[in-house]
Amino acid sequence: MHDVVISGGGPTGLMLASELRLHGVDVVVLEREAQPNPAVRSLGLHARSVEVLALRGLLDRFLAHGQRYPGAGRGLAGLEGATVELDSDHDYVLGIPQPTTDRLLAERAAELGAQLRRGAALEAFQQDADGVLVLLAGGDRLRARWLVGCDGGRSTVRRLAGIGFPGEPASTEWLLGEIELDGSVAPEEVARIASEVRVLHRGFGIGPAGDGLHRAVVPAASVAEDRTVPPTLEEFRTQLRAYSGTDFGVRATRSLTRFTDATRLAERYRAGRVLLAGDAAHVHPPLGGQGLNLGLQDAFALGWRLAAEVAGWAPPGLLDGYEAERRPVAEQVLTLTRAQSELLSPEPGPQAVRHLLGELLQLEPVARLLAGRITGLGIRDEPAEGDDDPFDLVGRRMRDLPLGDGRRLSDLTHAGRGLLLDGTGTLPLEGWPDRADRVALAPDRAALPAPALLLRPDGRVAWAGDDGEGLERALERWFGEPQPASDHLSGAVG
Ligand SMILES: Cc1cc2nc3c(=O)[nH]c(=O)nc-3n(C[C@H](O)[C@H](O)[C@H](O)COP(=O)(O)OP(=O)(O)OC[C@H]3O[C@@H](n4cnc5c(N)ncnc54)[C@H](O)[C@@H]3O)c2cc1C
């Protein structure tokens, strides 16, 4: 019996596999496709995703393949707001094509010992009190204690788990291609036509994509009945001509895919031993470049909670806290994309709202609120009632900090364990040696925003203060019952 089977080897499933492997969880990722998806869907990562990579020591390998765009990606449907500086070392969009992101995440999952089975499609499952029996196309069976559906917007797991997916169906479909042009239309002419068409049709676009290719997006003639069938080159050409009067001399494609403006959110993220993450839990049009970021951060929030459940120390409610934390974040993203869809409408009403919002966005607090949502830095896992929170930090992500001893916070988070940063030098952490580490810091040198901080494995603040009792309550709430004294092996890395 495996600990966890993940259905879907996209970015969410691969990130989750790595997070689980950090805790020694036996995990298998099933991926239906035999080969990685070549389609460049996501083009970039927002600041919180970049921070997440830094927390796990992965950022250098992503930076080596990406480009930093400081302050980018903060607008709303093309409306730019006042310039705001974010409280992060990574105040930029990291431009990196999705196939590269997927590859780097797959490499990392493999390094950590996750099994990725390509060409393996989950077809059915049955769950009982102890686990889930997973049936693959072709007849193979696997048994696991938990199943996570990271199998995209048309998730088989979600459907078979009977989890509703309410929202709005697709009203518009777009075709997206990475295409090769024959050179019959000069580059300046391609750019001129594109900007002319975009005056009326903001959903249209064509521009260079590197490697001598162009990336083009064009509305489809209608919403396809069977969205599993990829568009044909002929269909793509026809739509290019319909919108711009030319097919730009497209002669071949590296990838051709369709997407829609369907907007839906799973009713629940859990049904017994089955969980959902990423596009399997939420879909929306790609306005603002949010989906992959949301999925990565779902995986980051879920991994340690599920690992705790597998290890047997999860306190009550820890796993369900995943849905409580992440579903409202997805709801906010859906609100953002719904609003952007409206703002793109040429109708007078939405145009009036657009005008007004453009003015409001010049106000620094408005631009800051929006930037916090778009980048994911503003997300807060609401503190529970009764949480002591004199520093107003609980539930917020802790930014990277210099620790005053040559190290930074992000040097201590690679293993995904809890972390007590103790600037008082007096706080004990004996009972949780297998779950959290204590680092004693010199308060005059470390840039701590409180005398001591307890961080969850996902980098969020579980507690901030200086009293041992408050700390112990937070430890029990997030890391479960302490081990008996005789079982303590270690507990300090400082
Ligand atoms: C045009 C476009 C542009 C985008 N731009 C951005 C952007 O700039 N920024 C951003 O953050 N996001 C963007 N997105 C969204 C992003 O691509 C998705 O949100 C992201 O890929 C979701 O990752 P996922 O792992 O949850 O799902 P997916 O990437 O869909 O992966 C799911 C995987 O599950 C597999 N699978 C499906 N069914 C089964 C099964 N039964 N058994 C086994 N495997 C199965 C699939 O083959 C697939 O590999 C964009 C999307 C589009 C369409």
Side-chain angles (χ1 to χ4, degrees):
M1 169 127 103
H2 298 286
D3 292 328
V4 178
V5 165
I6 296 172
S7 174
T12 306
L14 293 166
M15 181 74 187
L16 179 62
S18 292
E19 286 297 299
L20 291 168
R21 282 303 303 148
L22 286 178
H23 301 279
V25 172
D26 165 25
V27 58
V28 179
V29 182
L30 304 174
E31 169 50 51
R32 183 181 57 197
E33 302 300 327
Q35 297 300 327
N37 186 346
V40 180
R41 291 176 288 163
S42 168
L43 286 170
L45 299 174
H46 286 290
R48 181 56 188 161
S49 298
V50 175
E51 286 188 348
V52 161
L53 296 174
L55 286 173
R56 292 296 182 258
L58 294 174
L59 187 54
D60 284 349
R61 55 176 103 177
F62 278 77
L63 287 177
H65 295 278
Q67 180 149 2
R68 283 176 261 199
Y69 298 98
R74 308 277 173 71
L76 206 56
L79 290 173
E80 292 304 326
T83 306
V84 284
E85 261 181 48
L86 298 176
D87 180 31
S88 170
D89 285 354
H90 306 289
D91 188 2
Y92 52 86
V93 166
L94 177 60
I96 184 165
Q98 185 162 347
T100 309
T101 297
D102 292 0
R103 175 172 61 77
L104 294 173
L105 292 172
E107 284 169 10
R108 157 82 167 170
E111 281 161 26
L112 292 173
Q115 230 191 92
L116 170 62
R117 285 181 59 177
R118 288 202 159 277
L122 174 145
E123 205 167 60
F125 68 80
Q126 292 161 358
Q127 59 168 318
D128 54 43
D130 305 317
V132 188
L133 178 67
V134 174
L135 310 173
L136 306 192
D140 271 9
R141 290 160 175 248
L142 295 175
R143 195 162 159 77
R145 294 168 69 190
W146 296 90
L147 168 66
V148 189
C150 299
D151 46 357
R154 290 192 290 273
S155 168
T156 307
V157 171
R158 186 188 64 232
R159 179 171 50 79
L160 295 174
I163 297 178
F165 203 37
E168 299 91 69
S171 64
T172 309
E173 178 174 298
W174 290 265
L175 310 180
L176 167 69
E178 278 198 298
I179 56 177
E180 218 178 285
L181 306 183
D182 64 10
S184 56
V185 184
E188 314 77 61
E189 188 61 2
V190 173
R192 189 194 60 76
I193 297 173
S195 66
E196 210 174 281
V197 179
R198 280 180 59 79
V199 173
L200 271 188
H201 304 286
R202 289 179 199 262
F204 179 93
I206 179 167
D211 292 346
L213 297 171
H214 278 70
R215 178 175 156 106
V217 190
V218 59
S222 60
V223 177
E225 269 178 32
D226 182 356
R227 298 203 40 250
T228 60
V229 180
T232 61
L233 178 55
E234 208 34 58
E235 193 180 343
F236 198 62
R237 278 198 180 109
T238 306
Q239 290 312 107
L240 286 174
R241 283 192 213 111
Y243 278 83
S244 59
T246 168
D247 64 12
F248 300 94
V250 52
R251 64 176 172 206
T253 61
R254 179 157 80 183
S255 70
L256 206 48
T257 181
R258 44 175 111 245
F259 64 92
T260 72
D261 59 353
T263 302
R264 296 179 181 278
L265 178 62
E267 270 169 0
R268 313 173 266 150
Y269 280 20
R270 177 177 176 187
R273 294 186 159 273
V274 179
L275 293 136
L276 299 178
D279 275 17
H282 34 72
V283 294
H284 53 82
L287 299 163
Q290 294 284 310
L292 190 151
N293 288 271
L294 204 50
L296 274 188
Q297 290 167 50
D298 282 352
F300 199 59
L302 174 59
W304 71 281
R305 294 173 189 262
L306 186 54
E309 197 68 44
V310 169
W313 61 254
L318 187 76
L319 186 56
D320 286 332
Y322 159 64
E323 172 178 327
E325 177 185 337
R326 294 300 300 169
R327 197 170 174 279
V329 175
E331 252 172 338
Q332 265 189 12
V333 167
L334 264 51
T335 298
L336 269 182
T337 56
R338 281 187 177 111
Q340 293 191 77
S341 298
E342 286 299 310
L343 293 171
L344 290 172
S345 158
E347 297 296 320
Q351 282 301 307
V353 177
R354 192 180 166 89
H355 181 76
L356 197 60
L357 194 63
E359 288 180 357
L360 291 175
L361 277 170
Q362 298 315 311
L363 304 175
E364 201 266 355
V366 178
R368 183 168 293 283
L369 177 87
L370 185 66
R373 295 206 175 158
I374 290 175
T375 59
L377 295 178
I379 294 167
R380 182 174 199 180
D381 187 13
E382 284 305 319
E385 228 170 277
D387 266 350
D388 265 353
D389 191 16
F391 297 93
D392 192 26
L393 288 169
V394 173
R396 298 187 194 278
R397 113 293 180 208
M398 182 42 54
R399 61 154 299 152
D400 204 359
L401 299 171
L403 299 180
D405 57 5
R407 296 180 294 180
R408 297 187 66 80
L409 170 59
S410 58
D411 295 327
L412 304 183
T413 53
H414 297 188
R417 291 161 56 81
L419 194 59
L420 174 63
L421 298 175
D422 183 7
T424 72
T426 61
L427 293 167
L429 183 71
E430 272 100 42
W432 294 266
D434 56 334
R435 298 160 231 176
D437 301 312
R438 172 175 176 272
V439 183
L441 297 171
D444 50 334
R445 279 187 278 138
L448 286 184
L453 289 174
L454 178 67
L455 300 183
R456 299 167 7 188
D458 55 14
R460 294 197 177 275
V461 178
W463 168 86
D466 59 6
D467 74 301
E469 275 177 30
L471 170 63
E472 195 165 323
R473 274 198 305 277
L475 281 162
E476 288 189 13
R477 166 149 180 240
W478 291 103
F479 297 99
E481 292 292 319
Q483 282 186 0
S486 55
D487 293 352
H488 300 174
L489 294 173
S490 67
V493 295

